């Protein structure tokens, strides 16, 4: 704008403004000076802030370097070594295992269910119609029973049609009396041998009809068919039942079966399956090899309406295994030699990356190391990289080491 004013022809400007025009250089000079002052006001603080920022940055780096020189807390030094004293190891029950190549089986992970083995389970049935009265006030599932022990009584007393127990007992008494009298009459040659045989037959039929019924008016006694535990109670106290109706189920629980549902895509590998590991839905991992387990049967085709092939094992119930519970199952196939595998409990996971803790030659020093994992059989996990034979890996006390390193994730992220 100033330049445009300067270009205006002088002859068109009146004398009145001549002096003002002559003062334009001074005006321009004043504008330039003001602009310089404004620029310096902007630039100088910026330089000051930059200088201060640089000083603060240098100070921050100095403090950070000083922190590194002194090391951080929780037993973790600048070289990534975790220091864990002998007292801490005892408190954490820390244990280690020497990494060695071993045989590791091919694994097919499936789901399944634990069931009672055939022949180790029996139903308790009603031998007459009537009202059920259990022999124990608080009979419940899991209660131990002995073979022949009275389980309940069934009585039809007070029910329309009469008490069939009382009727059968009365019939038995009458048949017995008639037979005893018949023997006397036959001895006196009053009745024939044929008539005596008929009386004896009536008496035996009355005995069979009475069966295991008690003679004290309490009704028909229902007994346990085997020694074991009550698996299920199928009726309520005071409920009416009919002849042959199941009242309860009793199981020995000596042997159990593990039924695995294998996807049909693994059918070609079925012949390689030799054993299995399984983990119950409520916790606890077991190996069939430790429970003297063996294969009972393998399905040759998928069940109707299903794409799964059943594989059934039988094993001894040595642990706290509940029949009927569901389980995660690892079917073990062809063994593979020279595989490095460690207990699954040794692994920790952080955002999809797996780590282990390795003990150094100095027993107080540990190192957190990233590893690449392969397949798992439920108890041990294959390590593809990150470990070598001869190293000591922590198998118990892993979470305590994570706390000591200052990088512990929430417990739910630990394996």
């Amino acid at each position: 704008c100033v330049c445009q004013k300067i270009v205006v022809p002088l002859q068109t400007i009146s004398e009145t403004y001549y002096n003002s025009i002559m003062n334009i250089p001074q005006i321009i000079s004043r504008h330039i000076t003001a602009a310089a002052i404004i620029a310096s006001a902007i630039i100088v603080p910026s330089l000051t802030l930059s200088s201060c920022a640089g000083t603060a940055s240098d100070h921050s780096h100095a403090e950070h370097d000083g922190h590194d020189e002194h090391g951080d807390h929780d037993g973790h030094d600048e070289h990534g070594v975790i220091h864990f004293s002998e007292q801490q190891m005892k408190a954490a029950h820390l244990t280690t295992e020497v990494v060695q190549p071993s045989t590791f089986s091919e694994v097919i992970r499936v789901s399944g269910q634990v069931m009672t083995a055939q022949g180790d389970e029996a139903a308790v049935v009603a031998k007459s119609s009537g009202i059920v009265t259990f022999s124990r006030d608080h009979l419940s599932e899991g209660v131990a029973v002995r073979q022949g022990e009275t389980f309940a009584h069934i009585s039809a007393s007070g029910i329309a049609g009469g008490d069939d127990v009382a009727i059968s007992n009365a019939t038995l008494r009458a048949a017995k009396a008639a037979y005893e009298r018949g023997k006397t009459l036959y001895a006196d040659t009053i009745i024939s041998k044929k008539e005596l045989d008929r009386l004896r037959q009536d008496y035996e039929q009355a005995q069979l009809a009475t069966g295991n019924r008690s003679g004290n008016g309490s009704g028909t006694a229902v007994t346990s068919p085997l020694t074991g535990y009550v698996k299920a109670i199928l009726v309520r106290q005071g409920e009416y039942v009919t002849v042959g109706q199941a009242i309860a189920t009793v199981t020995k629980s000596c042997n159990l079966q593990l039924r695995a549902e294998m996807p049909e895509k693994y059918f070609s590998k079925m012949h390689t399956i030799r054993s299995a590991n399984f983990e119950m839905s409520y916790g606890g991992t077991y190996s069939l090899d430790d429970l003297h387990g063996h294969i009972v049967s393998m399905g040759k085709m998928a069940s109707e309406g299903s794409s799964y092939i059943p594989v059934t094992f039988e094993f001894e119930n040595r642990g706290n295994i509940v029949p009927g519970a569901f389980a995660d199952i690892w079917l073990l196939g062809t063994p593979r030699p020279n595989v490095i595998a460690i207990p699954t409990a040794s692994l920790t996971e952080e955002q999809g990356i797996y780590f282990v803790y390795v003990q150094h030659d100095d027993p107080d020093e540990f190192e957190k190391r990233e590893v690449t994992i392969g397949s798992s059989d439920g108890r041990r996990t294959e390590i593809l990289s990150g470990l070598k034979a001869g190293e000591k890996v922590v198998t118990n006390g892993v979470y305590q080491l994570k706390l000591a390193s200052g990088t512990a994730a929430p417990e739910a992220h630990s394996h």
Side-chain angles (χ1 to χ4, degrees), residues 118-132:
Q118 294 294 328
D120 288 341
E121 185 174 299
V124 181
V125 299
K127 297 181 180 180
S128 64
S129 299
I131 304 299
V132 175

Side-chain angles (χ1 to χ4, degrees), residues 339-342 347 356 371-375 381-387:
V339 175
I340 290 181
I342 62 174
L347 293 166
V356 297
V371 295
T372 304
I373 66 171
S375 58
T381 300
E382 178 184 9
I383 302 298
L384 301 178
S385 64
L387 283 177

Side-chain angles (χ1 to χ4, degrees), residues 91-399:
H93 303 288
L94 189 143
T95 58
T96 61
E97 177 181 302
V98 178
V99 177
Q100 293 293 348
S102 60
T103 301
F104 191 81
S105 300
E106 292 184 354
V107 180
I108 302 174
R109 185 169 183 177
V110 299
S111 61
Q113 187 176 13
V114 175
M115 303 180 299
T116 304
Q118 294 294 328
D120 288 341
E121 185 174 299
V124 181
V125 299
K127 297 181 180 180
S128 64
S129 299
I131 304 299
V132 175
T133 303
F134 291 110
S135 58
R136 303 185 189 183
D137 293 335
H138 301 287
L139 185 66
S140 60
E141 297 176 357
V143 173
V145 292
R146 298 185 305 274
Q147 184 176 4
E149 178 182 349
T150 300
F151 194 90
H153 289 89
I154 299 176
S155 174
S157 177
I159 298 177
D163 187 349
D164 59 346
V165 175
I167 294 173
S168 62
N169 285 335
T171 303
L172 176 62
R173 289 193 297 270
K176 181 178 180 181
Y179 177 57
E180 294 295 336
R181 186 174 62 256
K183 288 192 292 184
T184 302
L185 296 175
Y186 176 74
D188 295 337
T189 64
I190 297 176
I191 62 173
S192 65
K193 181 68 166 58
K194 181 178 180 180
E195 182 67 16
L196 179 63
D197 291 340
R198 185 185 64 78
L199 294 173
R200 184 179 69 252
Q201 183 178 4
D202 292 342
Y203 174 54
E204 292 175 350
Q205 287 178 348
Q207 284 182 313
L208 293 174
T210 303
N212 196 28
R213 296 181 172 120
S214 60
N216 55 8
S218 60
T220 304
V222 181
T223 59
S224 173
L226 49 82
T227 298
Y229 301 88
V230 177
K231 178 183 178 181
I233 299 176
L234 307 177
V235 298
R236 297 185 299 272
Q237 177 85 340
E239 185 174 341
Y240 181 83
V241 296
T242 57
V243 177
Q245 181 177 343
I247 298 174
T249 305
V250 179
T251 177
K252 290 181 180 179
S253 291
C254 293
N255 291 318
L256 296 175
Q257 288 186 345
L258 179 67
R259 180 186 173 94
E261 299 291 341
M262 188 180 72
E264 59 184 12
K265 66 180 180 179
Y266 296 114
F267 181 78
S268 60
K269 296 184 178 181
M270 179 175 288
H271 68 282
T272 66
I273 297 174
R274 57 177 183 81
S275 185
N277 297 333
F278 62 98
E279 181 180 14
M280 304 304 299
S281 57
Y282 51 82
T285 303
Y286 305 89
S287 170
L288 289 182
D289 293 337
D290 297 338
L291 300 175
H292 292 173
H294 60 278
I295 296 177
V296 175
S297 63
M298 289 187 178
K300 301 301 182 184
M301 59 182 294
S303 303
E304 184 177 355
S306 172
S307 60
Y308 296 93
I309 302 172
V311 180
T312 305
F313 303 86
E314 188 168 308
F315 62 95
E316 297 177 2
N317 184 13
R318 296 182 184 177
N320 187 23
I321 302 174
V322 179
F326 290 92
D328 288 327
I329 304 172
W330 292 266
L331 299 175
L332 306 181
T334 305
R336 293 185 290 128
N338 299 321
V339 175
I340 290 181
I342 62 174
T344 303
S346 298
L347 293 166
T348 60
E349 179 191 356
E350 297 177 12
Q351 299 180 350
I353 301 175
Y354 292 89
F355 297 90
V356 297
Y357 290 88
V358 179
Q359 187 178 37
H360 288 180
D361 293 336
D362 185 344
D364 292 345
E365 294 183 352
F366 296 85
E367 172 194 350
K368 180 181 178 181
R369 188 181 299 174
E370 180 182 345
V371 295
T372 304
I373 66 171
S375 58
S376 172
D377 65 5
R379 306 182 79 181
R380 301 181 72 85
T381 300
E382 178 184 9
I383 302 298
L384 301 178
S385 64
L387 283 177
K388 59 183 179 180
E391 293 184 308
K392 289 184 179 180
V393 64
V394 177
T395 57
N396 189 55
V398 173
Y399 190 69

Side-chain angles (χ1 to χ4, degrees), residues 84-97:
F84 214 58
S85 66
E86 183 177 354
Q87 291 76 11
Q88 289 176 304
M89 285 189 279
K90 288 182 179 179
H93 303 288
L94 189 143
T95 58
T96 61
E97 177 181 302

